[in-house]
Amino acid sequence: MGLVGLYVSRVWTRFGGPGPANGRSGTMRKIGTVLAGGLMLGLAACGQAPEGPPEKVVATAAPEAPPGISLSDARVQLPAVSGRPGVAYFTISQSSGPPRQVAGVTVELAGRTEMHETMKKGEAMTMEPIETVPLESGKSVEFAPGGKHIMLFDLDPKLRFEDSVKLTVTFDGGDKATAPARVTTVNDMEGMN
């Protein structure tokens, strides 16, 4: 008899089940039966494994994306001060196909976006707009802090209440790839360093 069975047996005997003559009424026997049954169901449910594997959210390119294109690690960082621009980061990879150019990026709930790159000019760091970003077969391009990134202007205040938004990359031929971008704050990003 397992641990659960031993416990149920003791509860059953204590609350009027078969055992030494205890003189308890039928009501106590019924209460004991209900308690023992509830305990067995509760313990049985605790031991069950969850059905199927845990759900995993993966940022993948949308169905209309060109073959071989994938987007990963997409995130939108909200500004520390409301009314200021936000920024978006992601990695785009091309496993096959002809060379392409990233012609633009849009982010849901951002009124306007611009591709920028942070560069060192002399002793100073500068940020300059860029028109296109080349993408070659077998290569990845990372949009990350201190390098290429997407500036987000005219942010909708509702963005603060979202967990994720759509980030869409447009290529020079008009093809598009879309992925969910996790919405973060400056405080969220501090823990990632």
Side-chain angles (χ1 to χ4, degrees), residues 71-150:
L71 300 172
S72 60
D73 304 321
R75 66 186 189 275
V76 167
Q77 183 177 323
L78 297 175
V81 177
S82 185
R84 302 287 301 182
V87 64
Y89 304 115
F90 61 96
T91 300
I92 185 166
S93 303
Q94 179 170 322
S95 61
S96 61
R100 303 178 194 285
Q101 298 275 331
V102 174
V105 177
T106 59
V107 174
E108 182 180 19
L109 299 178
R112 182 173 58 92
T113 61
E114 292 179 9
M115 290 191 294
H116 283 203
E117 185 168 17
T118 303
M119 297 177 262
K120 186 170 185 174
K121 286 193 175 179
E123 295 297 313
M125 296 299 288
T126 63
M127 182 174 62
E128 307 238 347
I130 51 178
E131 295 298 317
T132 60
V133 176
L135 186 60
E136 298 177 23
S137 184
K139 304 277 183 178
S140 294
V141 176
E142 187 175 12
F143 286 72
K148 293 175 182 60
H149 56 277
I150 308 301

Side-chain angles (χ1 to χ4, degrees), residues 42-49:
L43 290 174
C46 290
Q48 290 180 345

